[in-house]
Amino acid sequence: VLSECSFHITPGGEITWPEEYRSWKEGTPGRYSSTALNEPEGSLVLLHPPRGSLFYLDSSLPASSQTVRIQAAAPEPITLYVDGTVLARDRPSPLSVSYPLTRGEHRLRLVTASEELEGDFEVR
């Protein structure tokens, strides 16, 4: 049985980074950046999964243990849609939600009072 990753998420849901990656952290709690993101300060950011990610279902594992962690950060509450359905509404940043893996292409839409952002991932 797989357990939830505790490497980047504390039991309280706070995002943390190993020491060697802390230079990525910006001054605002819950806001992280990398050269790949290049997002301006105060922007809505999809932290995980990276756009265009590919995940595989493993038939040897129970379906209930196969999830993807969706993470985002913003200076205001975030609403998350997956394939047009609300998964989380007006959640504080950083947002961290588990989503069960199902085969197909999936569309993420993150919305705050002032911004929208889209992403996608595929499960085979």
Side-chain angles (χ1 to χ4, degrees):
V1 173
L2 295 178
S3 61
E4 187 172 306
C5 173
S6 61
F7 190 71
H8 295 102
I9 304 292
T10 66
E14 182 179 331
I15 298 172
T16 61
W17 295 98
E19 188 63 40
E20 60 267 27
Y21 298 116
R22 295 220 173 125
S23 64
W24 291 357
K25 184 179 184 293
E26 296 177 358
T28 306
R31 293 274 304 137
Y32 301 91
S33 68
S34 74
T35 55
L37 290 175
N38 258 346
E39 299 290 343
E41 179 66 31
S43 291
L44 174 60
V45 179
L46 175 61
L47 299 168
H48 193 267
R51 289 178 181 101
S53 292
L54 176 61
F55 298 93
Y56 290 91
L57 289 172
D58 184 339
S59 61
S60 69
L61 297 172
S64 62
S65 69
Q66 299 186 65
T67 63
V68 61
R69 176 68 62 179
I70 301 171
Q71 298 171 315
E76 53 195 341
I78 304 165
T79 296
L80 167 65
Y81 297 84
V82 179
D83 299 329
T85 300
V86 174
L87 188 61
R89 184 177 303 278
D90 293 325
R91 295 275 186 89
S93 182
L95 172 75
S96 185
V97 177
S98 256
Y99 183 73
L101 292 179
T102 56
R103 291 189 197 283
E105 295 181 6
H106 301 281
R107 184 61 130 182
L108 303 174
R109 187 169 147 241
L110 300 161
V111 179
T112 67
S114 59
E115 294 182 83
E116 288 191 27
L117 181 67
E118 292 190 352
D120 64 310
F121 66 93
E122 182 180 354
V123 180
R124 294 184 186 165

